[in-house]
Amino acid sequence: MKTVVMKFGGTSVATPEKIIGVAKRAIREKEKGHRVVIVVSAMGKTTDTLLALAGEISAEPSKREMDMLLATGEQVTISLLAMAFKSLGHEALSFTGWQAGIETESVPRNARIETIHTERLERVLDNGFICVVAGFQGVDRIGNITTLGRGGSDTTAVALAAALGADKCEIYTDVDGVYTSDPRSVTGARKLEQISYDEMLELANLGAGVLHPRAVEFAKNNKVPLSVRASYSDVPGTIIQEVITVEKNLIVRGVAFEPGIARVTVSYKKPFNGSLANIFTKLAEHHIDVDIIVQSITDEFPPSVSFSIKEESLEETKRVLNEFQENIRFSAANYEVGLSKVSIVGSGMVSNPGVAAQMFDILRVQGIPVKMVSTSEIKISVVVPETDMQAAANALHDAFGLSE
Ligand code: ADP
Ligand code: ASP
Ligand code: MG
């Protein structure tokens, strides 16, 4: 008997009619004789509404209580969907994250899944029930409800698929696949028939919101057969797998972008070996994700290090730097907000050394200033003003031959 995991995002379960549609679609799979697990997000913009609600109570609400609040969104959807199955004559049971055995680390708002105790789901599936699981949530070892970070329902689905040894994991959403760039912002974005785990992981990490990065990580590490497809039609989606046949022989396979980036620059009067380690250890202890790091030490200027973070972490970063100024031993720090990161991704880049130069030239022609750069074997990212983000993404998408 095959096991399938199907995940439906917020837009796909936004109304009672859509929830009934999801149930009908899942019943088609059940009637093929499969064991079916459905993972769902909160309805429509529920998570945003809950965030705003907390904001009206407190400017800095407790992260634990935020998890408690946000997890309610998904709980609404699972119960309604299980009711929909019953009204359509099928046995189904809903499960919150903890009921489904999803154990996470104790990091509120951004927890990683550590283990999944699948016994209960296995039993229920073997008894012929459809399992409806709340995405985006789990429980830590001491019983606190945790959430997995925005977009984390994808990760619930893929992690469950891995734990149950599922034959396929399908992510149903409001686009019909993974495109060369976000089709809402980049004209000429093309749907990809296939993409490799590595390229998808880079795109997801670099801001392509169509999949949660940790979902791709789980899929890659456990070789989960993963696809992204439309919840509103039956057209085939995009398959994410290890080895792919490339449709066009392009060096760049996709363009991703992310707004809301801030740059922090810290300078010291005189260098000492501990500077870098001290700064980044302190930030890591406070769960502040640092992205691009540029250190510059020359004889003429005081040493400095610049790094990029998400704008939403800026206040906490400032607080940590100030609190540990003595220990970190810096003399001045400055900040720039209103930035974004635009990246090109493609495994063909490894063997093509001129790609970065080409990228800078395309941006120069557009008059877009490059503030920071970071490269890896299969991607190049630049930090540019947020007001130029869309223009940069479109120009790179066209110039690297990705447009239709
Ligand atoms: P869901 O609620 O179903 O999880 P998301 O909003 O999280 O849906 O993800 C789907 C959205 O991802 C699309 O509407 C699209 O705007 C965006 N997106 C960003 N990059 C890409 C890409 N490369 N390909 C497809 N969609 C993308
Ligand atoms: N409801 C959560 C969010 O909006 C999780 C998800 O949709 O994947 O981020
Ligand atoms: Mg999503």
Side-chain angles (χ1 to χ4, degrees), residues 142-154:
I142 52 167
N144 288 311
I145 291 176
T146 51
T147 60
L148 311 180
R150 295 305 306 264
S153 295
D154 298 336

Side-chain angles (χ1 to χ4, degrees), residues 124-137:
V124 171
L125 285 169
D126 288 341
N127 284 334
F129 285 72
I130 295 168
C131 286
V132 184
V133 181
F136 174 61
Q137 53 175 272

Side-chain angles (χ1 to χ4, degrees), residues 7 9-12 154 172-175 177-184 208-210:
K7 180 259 169 179
T11 323
S12 313
D154 298 336
Y172 288 85
T173 183
D174 59 1
V175 271
V178 177
Y179 279 63
T180 48
S181 193
D182 189 342
R184 288 183 208 284
V210 64

Side-chain angles (χ1 to χ4, degrees), residues 40-43 68 70-81 94-99 134-135 137 145:
V40 281
S41 294
M43 292 171 72
M68 186 65 92
L70 295 184
T72 63
E74 272 67 13
Q75 201 170 326
V76 171
T77 326
I78 53 169
S79 50
L80 293 175
L81 182 54
S94 64
F95 298 90
T96 62
W98 72 265
Q99 288 177 322
Q137 53 175 272
I145 291 176

